[in-house]
Every structure is written in structure tokens, then in C-alpha cells.
């Protein structure tokens, strides 16, 4: 049992990690030779302004009075420079956005685990290639470019991270700090000869990172006056800096200015996904080497390198926008030729690396760009330059770049088919083995089937050992990384275990043939329909509404209606009520503090009813239980106060009150042990868990989602009752009064029973409720569905990991309620396999849930779909802006990846949530210093 549980958890971790290891490996290669244009550049210096979180439409549109919010930038657009829309990619976060701007490629997502502050993979950048770079701004952005630079020529000046406070009185001070420090820097340079000589060198960069707009967008939404006024202040600051540069350098005409953004922002103040409001950002360029006003699109990194004459960043995959350049046709042609050679170098290195680790007879080169074709294109381009056919050079180099990018993608995804097939084979094998083990050990399906016990043959294990040796040898001679051994060898022992149970397969088929065909087909259709509804709910939240509506009708199609009318009506009412939530807008888009306060009042009203009933009891536990519930009621009242006062304080821009912060963290810390003080009776313990978790959930809520756990709990309580009725109806056991049932750590083995067909329905209900617990609160498979305002009662200073952990706990609270209710369902229906040891109990639950439902359809369907889409469009997640790119296909790929991660996370989290639910329901603490005990 313990071995099976450990192995199952390990396999799920491997399958979960496979999505990142196969589809999100770094596309970078190293070993290329720096390439730069041999002609003199138009600019000696470059000034890069990045307005973090600035939307393109908000900058370019006129305000309600018909005037521009950024008059200086608009004047540049109209009279001096080129402008357009730049397209960023998912995830639309600050780090990958800046890497794309300054290094010219889309970074490996493993950077998320580094908190945007360290480089998981070393890469080249414009700053590294420059002679000197000075940068001012956020401590979250600047260090990553300085840390990876060779030498000490990249200088950073950043403010304290505590300034990044979403509850601050004036977030524009972040931008004011940058502008003021740049001015002080140049004043100081006039009196420092060493610094003065450095800033008068050529090939230097000045980088100004402006975070105020992003901070105001998160705190007040992009439609707010604060966000729009911040744009005006940034415009004023840019105007002053440009004037200062022109004056300092004597209007020498050798300065290029670029104003852009790393990402946009949704209407509800978040970013991270692929909505146009997040991906479309402004781009305005003017100064030395820039063409006169026109609207074009551009890859910024190669543009900046060409303007100041430094080598192209080695890992850049951007295409030089020659239309932006105000220079000779020869310069444009030479620059484009250099850009093509630089990307071609990456292709050659990638091809060489793959060829060296692949057997010659298995290596398939990229046929569209053979060595001879590379030579011919380069020779022809040089000939065109010699004969001054510059337009033909640009066209030919663009063709070469596109072929090289396709080749890079081809070699980057070269092993993806092999790895994907191995993961799918392992998935199918694990599902088959776990299902066979359930049928063999916990069901009556194969009992009574006459079978002859055969002596095990040595041929089977020897065959699989030989297969494993061959696979390992094949990987060894190709010098494959260790993860390839995991994906290649894992299916071998899994399928060996499946084939060892071949007799069980034969007995199962024999048993199923005895069932009437119509019954078998009917059950199969219902099961398939249920699974399809679950799968579709990941793409269309309203499918949960359809499923819950079907749940509401279910009792009236059975004998439950005649046996338990009140329970059936309650089930239908709360199912329909819960079905409303998936139809609501995504959380955070329409915050409403009064809905949160209303949810708190409903909890207080329900608490009053429960406390009143407790006071009528005359047993010895009344005072202790009453005290616990009163403490929880007080905690709910305090949570309501904190939510309201924090919202008022933030609206007045007075920040998060310290006392509110202390109360919030104390409420969160106490929510996991206060329920242990309550009675172990099923209803009292579940209600105590609800009160404790609701106090925390109110602090993390911004709107209607605050009501969701309360409705979910009511439905869960009715589910416990209705499952009792179904079990009594089937004659499996007699019904017990719910008030007489207590959670217990150990259960008599005689209460254990075999699985029945109805238990599959119970397992399906559990999975459906878990999916509803995630999507029902308005969450979607997207980073931008999580509102930072949810954590403002706990902290307002930017802290990605702490904020992420709090939002994750908010997501998990409904999961905990469902799992605690399922503990009661197991107990009341005598489904639990609680034996002497805890591991045996966990083993039974895992067997019901995972092999029968989640992996059988959802994971395989999601994996197969992801596999098909990624294979059909290899590596498009990493390709730079392409006007012909099928955005619908990209969204489908990313959605499929998100769904896979969500399902696999649920599968793994259920193990830990089940343990937490067992702890919350069975442990008992006593007040007055009495020792901890378990109820038997």
C-alpha cells in the first residue's frame, strides 16, 4: 500500500513536470560570433523609456475634452518620429517583457521560479553589448541585466522595494524618483571628470524604468483618474529629460530616444495573459537615425543595436525594422544583412548541437535551409550590395531570417514527438494499472468468475528487462539528458505491472459480458457524457451550470423524491443556486465591497441559528462549544470590519492600517486550528471549519465570490444527507442519524465494504464539485484572472511570492470545504477504508478518484490536444512578432497548457488536501490546557 501510494505520487509529479520539460525548455543557444554593421551608426547614445503597464490605447486616444493625455509624446508622433504598436507575448509580465525589449527574445518560463530577479539561463543583451549603460528604476528589473553582463559597465540605481506599495498615497513618486535621479546624475557628471568622459563616449545607453503607471493600474484600474494622470506626469518627465539631454550634449543630433512599454493591462487592473489590452503596447521613436513620422511595427532590440552601432544581442530573434531608419540605403542593406547573419549563426549552432547527439542514420536535417542554400543566399545578397540593389538585399535577408527562425524552431522541437509519445504511453499504462488494482482488490466485478491460477512465466520479466536495457542504451549513445531516461524508461515497469494483471483483464471481460448490453451501453454513455461536461467546463464555464442543473434534477428521476422530499428539494435548490456562479463575470472585474459585507452578514445569520441550537443542548460540552463558536463569530465580525476599513483607507490613499494587517494575519493563522476545538460531531465540526475559513475568505474577497463558499457548504451538507438516503435505498446499510455520527481517526475494519457502481457516481460528484470550486468563483485558466486587490488586507507592498501564496490559499479554501464534506460522505456511507494506518486510508481515496475519473479522459484529452497543437505549430510560443501568426491557434495552445497544469495540480493537491481534511475533521484540541486527543 505504502509503495503504491509513493509510486503513484512520484509518477504524477513526473507527468506534471513533463509539460515544462518538453514544451518549455529554453530556446537559447551559445557559441555564436557577435555580428555588427561595419558602417558608422547614426547615433552615439540611446535613451530608452519603458513605462511599465502602459496600454497603447490609453496613450494614443484623446481624453473627454479632445486633448491628448501626453501632449509632448503626441507632438513627437505628429512632427518628429515614427510610432506604432509593439506586440508583447504571454506571459505579459515585467521580466519577460523587458527581456524581449532589451535582449530580443522571449525568455524561458523557468524565470518565474526566480522571482524575476535572477537569470535561469545566461543571455546576451543590448546593455551587455554597449560600452556603458546607466539605468534607473525598480529593483525587480534592473539587477537581472547587470548580473548577466560581462564586466562592470552596466550601472543600476534603484529605489527601495518598499516604495512599490499599491496602497501608497501617490504611486507617481516612483517615476518622479527616476526623473529626479537622472537629473542629479547629469549635474554630478559636470563636476566629475571621469564620469563626464564616460557619458560622452559612443555606444552608450540610458535606461529609465517607470513603474508608477503599472502600480496605479493595479491599485486603481486603468480607467481611473490616477492612472491617466500618471501618464501626464510621465509625459512631463520625458519632456524634461529630453530637453536636458539636448542641452547637455549641445543639440549634437546624436541621441536616439525610444518610448515604449513592457506590457499593457486589463480593464480590471491585472496582466499576465494574452488579451489585446495586455499585449498591445505603444512604441514611439525619434532622434538620430529615426525616420520622419510614420506608423509601422517593429522589433525593438535590433532597432536599438543598429542605431548605436553595437553588435546584435547573440540570442536576439528580432527582425530589424528598416522602415524606422533614416539613413542611407547602403546602411539599411548592411544592417539587414548583419541581422540575417546573426540569426543564421544561431541556426547553425543549434543544428550542430543536435547533430552531434543524434545517430547519423536517425538525423533528419531541416530541408528548407540546407548548407548550399545558405551559401547561395548569402552570396547573392553580397552581390546585390555590390551592385547597389539594396531593396533586393532587404527582401532576400528577410527570407533568410524567416527560414532560419523556422529552422531554430525545428531543431528546438526535434525530440518533442519522441518525448510526448513516451509520456502518453506512461499515462495510459498508469491509468490501466491503477484501475485494474481497484477492480481486483476493492470490487465484486470479478468475484465468482472461474479462473485458473497460472504459474508466472519468466519470459515476461525478461522481455521487459531487455526492453529497458535497449531504451537506456539508445539514450546513452546519443548523450541524452537524464530527463529523457525518466520519460523513456518509466513506461517499461508500468506496462510490466499491467501485463502481470492480464488474468484480471480476462476475468473483467468475462464478467462484463454477463451484463445486459443495453445496461452496459447506457452506463457507458452516461459516464462519457459526464466526463465530456467536465472537460468542456475547462473551456466554457457555463458547462458547470449545465452540470449542476442536471444534478438538481437527478433526485426526481429516482426513488429519492418519494423517500426524502425535503432533502431532494434542498439539493435541487442549492444546486441551482450554485449553478448561478459560473455565469457571473470573472472575479476582480467588477469589485463590490457591499457583496462581501453581505456575505459576512449571511454567515453571522447562519451562526446565530447554530449558536441558538447549541444553547438548547444540555450536554457537558455546551459551554466549550459555545465559546468556540462565539470566538468564530467574533472573527467574522472582525474580518468584515477589516475589509470595510481597509477599502476606505485605500480609497483615501492612506495605505493599509497596521492594526488591520495584524488582525488579517492573525485570522489566517488561527483558521486552521480553531476548528480543532469544536465538537467532532459531523455537523458541528463541518460548520466550525466553514466559519474559520470564511473569516479568511472574506479578507481575500473583492465581490460576489465571498458568497460562493457559503452556498457550496450548504450544498455539501445536503450531499452528505442525500448520500445517506441513496445508501439506505440500495440496502447496503441502515441510515444513521447525522447528529449521532462523529468523525474519528480510526474506524472499525468491519465497517469497510467493497465498492459498488454507485460509488463511481460519488467519485464523479466529488471531482465535479472540485472543478466547480475552482471555476465557480470566477477563476479562469489565465494569470490575469487573479486580482491583486484580493490581498490588500494582508499586504500592499509588491511581493510576488507572498501575494501568490495568499491568492493560492483563496483558491484552495473551497477545495478544503469539498474535501471535508467528502470525509463525511465516506463516513456516513461506510465507504472509508480507514484501517490501522493512515496510508491505507489515503490509498483507497486515491484509487477512487484518479484512475477512474481524472486521468481517464481529462488528462489524456488535454495531453493529446496539446501534443497535436504544439506539434502542428512548433515553438510558436517563442517566435517574435509575426503578422501572419494565427492568434487563435496560439490561444488554443496556451489554454490547453493551462488546463493540463490545472488538472495535474488538482490531482497532486488532492493528496495534500485530503490529508488536511482528515486533520481538520478528526483531530480534537481542548481548552483549559487539556491534552490533545482523538475521538474513537
Amino acid at each position: 500500500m505504502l509503495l503504491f501510494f509513493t509510486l503513484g505520487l512520484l509518477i504524477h509529479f513526473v507527468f506534471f513536470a513533463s509539460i515544462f520539460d518538453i514544451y518549455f525548455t529554453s530556446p537559447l543557444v551559445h557559441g555564436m560570433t557577435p555580428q555588427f554593421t561595419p558602417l558608422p551608426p547614426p547615433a552615439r547614445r540611446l535613451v530608452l523609456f519603458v513605462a511599465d503597464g502602459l496600454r497603447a490605447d490609453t496613450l494614443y486616444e484623446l481624453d473627454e475634452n479632445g486633448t491628448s493625455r501626453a501632449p509632448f509624446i503626441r507632438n513627437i508622433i505628429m512632427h518628429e518620429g515614427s510610432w506604432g504598436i509593439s506586440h508583447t507575448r504571454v506571459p505579459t509580465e515585467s521580466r519577460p517583457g523587458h527581456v524581449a525589449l532589451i535582449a530580443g527574445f522571449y525568455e524561458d518560463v523557468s524565470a518565474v521560479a526566480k522571482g524575476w530577479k535572477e537569470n535561469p539561463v545566461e543571455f546576451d543583451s543590448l546593455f551587455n553589448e554597449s560600452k556603458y549603460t546607466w539605468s534607473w528604476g525598480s529593483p525587480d528589473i534592473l539587477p537581472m541585466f547587470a548580473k548577466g553582463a560581462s564586466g562592470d559597465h552596466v550601472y543600476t540605481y534603484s529605489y527601495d522595494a518598499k516604495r512599490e506599495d499599491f496602497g501608497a498615497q501617490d504611486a507617481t513618486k516612483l517615476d518622479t524618483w527616476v526623473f529626479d535621479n537622472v537629473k542629479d546624475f547629469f549635474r554630478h557628471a559636470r563636476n566629475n571628470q571621469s564620469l563626464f568622459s564616460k557619458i560622452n563616449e559612443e555606444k552608450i545607453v540610458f535606461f529609465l524604468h517607470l513603474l508608477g503607471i503599472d502600480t496605479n493600474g493595479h491599485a486603481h484600474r486603468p480607467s481611473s483618474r490616477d492612472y491617466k494622470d500618471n501618464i501626464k506626469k510621465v509625459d512631463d518627465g520625458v519632456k524634461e529629460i529630453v530637453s536636458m539631454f539636448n542641452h547637455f550634449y549641445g543639440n549634437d543630433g546624436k541621441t536616439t530616444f525610444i518610448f515604449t512599454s513592457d506590457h499593457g493591462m486589463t480593464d480590471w487592473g491585472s496582466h499576465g495573459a494574452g488579451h489585446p489590452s495586455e499585449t498591445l503596447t505603444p512604441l514611439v521613436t525619434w532622434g538620430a537615425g529615426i525616420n520622419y513620422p510614420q506608423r509601422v511595427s517593429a522589433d525593438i532590440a535590433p532597432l536599438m543595436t543598429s542605431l548605436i552601432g553595437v553588435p546584435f544581442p547573440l540570442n536576439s530573434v528580432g527582425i530589424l525594422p528598416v522602415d524606422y531608419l533614416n539613413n542611407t540605403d547602403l546602411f539599411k542593406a548592411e544592417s539587414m544583412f548583419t541581422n540575417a547573419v546573426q540569426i543564421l549563426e544561431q541556426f547553425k549552432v543549434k543544428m550542430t548541437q543536435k547533430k552531434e547527439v543524434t545517430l547519423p542514420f536517425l538525423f533528419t536535417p531541416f530541408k528548407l535551409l540546407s548548407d548550399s542554400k545558405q551559401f547561395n543566399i548569402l552570396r547573392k545578397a553580397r552581390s546585390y550590395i555590390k551592385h547597389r540593389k539594396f531593396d533586393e538585399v532587404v527582401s532576400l535577408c528577410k527570407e533568410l531570417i524567416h527560414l532560419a527562425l523556422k529552422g531554430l524552431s525545428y531543431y528546438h522541437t526535434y525530440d518533442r514527438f519522441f518525448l510526448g509519445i513516451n509520456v502518453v504511453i506512461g499515462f495510459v499504462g498508469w491509468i490501466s494499472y491503477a484501475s485494474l488494482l481497484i477492480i481486483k482488490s476493492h470490487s465484486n466485478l470479478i468475484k465468482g468468475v472461474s479462473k485458473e491460477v497460472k504459474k508466472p512465466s519468466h519470459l515476461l520479466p525478461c522481455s521487459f528487462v531487455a526492453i529497458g536495457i535497449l531504451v537506456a542504451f539508445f539514450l546513452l549513445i546519443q548523450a541524452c539528458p537524464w530527463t529523457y531516461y525518466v520519460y523513456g524508461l518509466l513506461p517499461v515497469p508500468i506496462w510490466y505491472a499491467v501485463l502481470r494483471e492480464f488474468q484480471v483483464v480476462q476475468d473483467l471481460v468475462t464478467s462484463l459480458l454477463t451484463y445486459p448490453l443495453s445496461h452496459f451501453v447506457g452506463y457507458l454513455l452516461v459516464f462519457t457524457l459526464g466526463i465530456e461536461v467536465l472537460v468542456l467546463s475547462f473551456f466554457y464555464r457555463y458547462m458547470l451550470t449545465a452540470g449542476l442543473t442536471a444534478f438538481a434534477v437527478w433526485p426526481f428521476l429516482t426513488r429519492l423524491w418519494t423517500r426524502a422530499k425535503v432533502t431532494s428539494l434542498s439539493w435541487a435548490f442549492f444546486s441551482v443556486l450554485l449553478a448561478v456562479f459560473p455565469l457571473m463575470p470573472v472575479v476582480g472585474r467588477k469589485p463590490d465591497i457591499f457583496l462581501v459585507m453581505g456575505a459576512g452578514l449571511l454567515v453571522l445569520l447562519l451562526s446565530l441559528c447554530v449558536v441558538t441550537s447549541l444553547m438548547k443542548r444540555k450536554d457537558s460540552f455546551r459551554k466549550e462549544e459555545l465559546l468556540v463558536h462565539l470566538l468564530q463569530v467574533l472573527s467574522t465580525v472582525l474580518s468584515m470590519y477589516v475589509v470595510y476599513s481597509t477599502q476606505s483607507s485605500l480609497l483615501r490613499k492612506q495605505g493599509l492600517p497596521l492594526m488591520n494587517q495584524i488582525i488579517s494575519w492573525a485570522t489566517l493563522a488561527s483558521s486552521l486550528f480553531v476548528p480543532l476545538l469544536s465538537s467532532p460531531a459531523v455537523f458541528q465540526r463541518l460548520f466550525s471549519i466553514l466559519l474559520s475559513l470564511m473569516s479568511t475568505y472574506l479578507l481575500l474577497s473583492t465581490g460576489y465570490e465571498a458568497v460562493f463558499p457559503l452556498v457550496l457548504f450548504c450544498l455539501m451538507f445536503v450531499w452528505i444527507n442525500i448520500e445517506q438516503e441513496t445508501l439506505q435505498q440500495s440496502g447496503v446499510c441502515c441510515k444513521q442519524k447525522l447528529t449521532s455520527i462523529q468523525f474519528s481517526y480510526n474506524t472499525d475494519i468491519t465497517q469497510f465494504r467493497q465498492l459498488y457502481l454507485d460509488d463511481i457516481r460519488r467519485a464523479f460528484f466529488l471531482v465535479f464539485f472540485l472543478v466547480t470550486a475552482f471555476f465557480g468563483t470566477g477563476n479562469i485558466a489565465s494569470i490575469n484572472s487573479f486580482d491583486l486587490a484580493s490581498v490588500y488586507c494582508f499586504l500592499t507592498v509588491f511581493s510576488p511570492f507572498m501575494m501568490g501564496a495568499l491568492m493560492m490559499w483563496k483558491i484552495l479554501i473551497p477545495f478544503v470545504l469539498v474535501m471535508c464534506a467528502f470525509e463525511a460522505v465516506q463516513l456516513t456511507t461506510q465507504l472509508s477504508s480507514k484501517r490501522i494506518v493512515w496510508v491505507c486510508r489515503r490509498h483507497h481515496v486515491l484509487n477512487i478518484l484518479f484512475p477512474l475519473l481524472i486521468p481517464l479522459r481529462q488528462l489524456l484529452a488535454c495531453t493529446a490536444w496539446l501534443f497535436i497543437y504544439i506539434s502542428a505549430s512548433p515553438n510558436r510560443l517563442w517566435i517574435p512578432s509575426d503578422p501572419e501568426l494565427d492568434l487563435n491557434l496560439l490561444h488554443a495552445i496556451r489554454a490547453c497548457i493551462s488546463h493540463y497544469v490545472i488538472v495535474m495540480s488538482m490531482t497532486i493537491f488532492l493528496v495534500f488536501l485530503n490529508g488536511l481534511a482528515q486533520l481538520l475533521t478528526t483531530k480534537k484540541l481542548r481548552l483549559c490546557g487539556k491534552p490533545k486527543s482523538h475521538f474513537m
Side-chain angles (χ1 to χ4, degrees), residues 369-387:
L369 194 56
S370 62
D371 291 343
S372 60
K373 187 165 186 177
Q374 296 174 37
F375 177 78
N376 290 334
I377 292 178
L378 293 176
R379 181 179 55 81
K380 188 180 294 185
R382 269 298 165 201
S383 175
Y384 283 155
I385 293 177
K386 184 177 180 180
H387 292 88

Side-chain angles (χ1 to χ4, degrees), residues 159 166 207 246 280 311 340 349 360 470 490 552 555 564 587 603-604 624 644-645 673 702 750 919 932:
Y159 39 74
F166 298 116
F207 172 43
N246 290 335
L280 303 183
V349 171
L470 287 174
L490 186 60
V587 164
V603 173
L604 292 177
E624 181 179 331
Y644 185 80
S645 62
F673 72 84
T702 60
T750 58
L919 175 70
K932 176 176 66 176

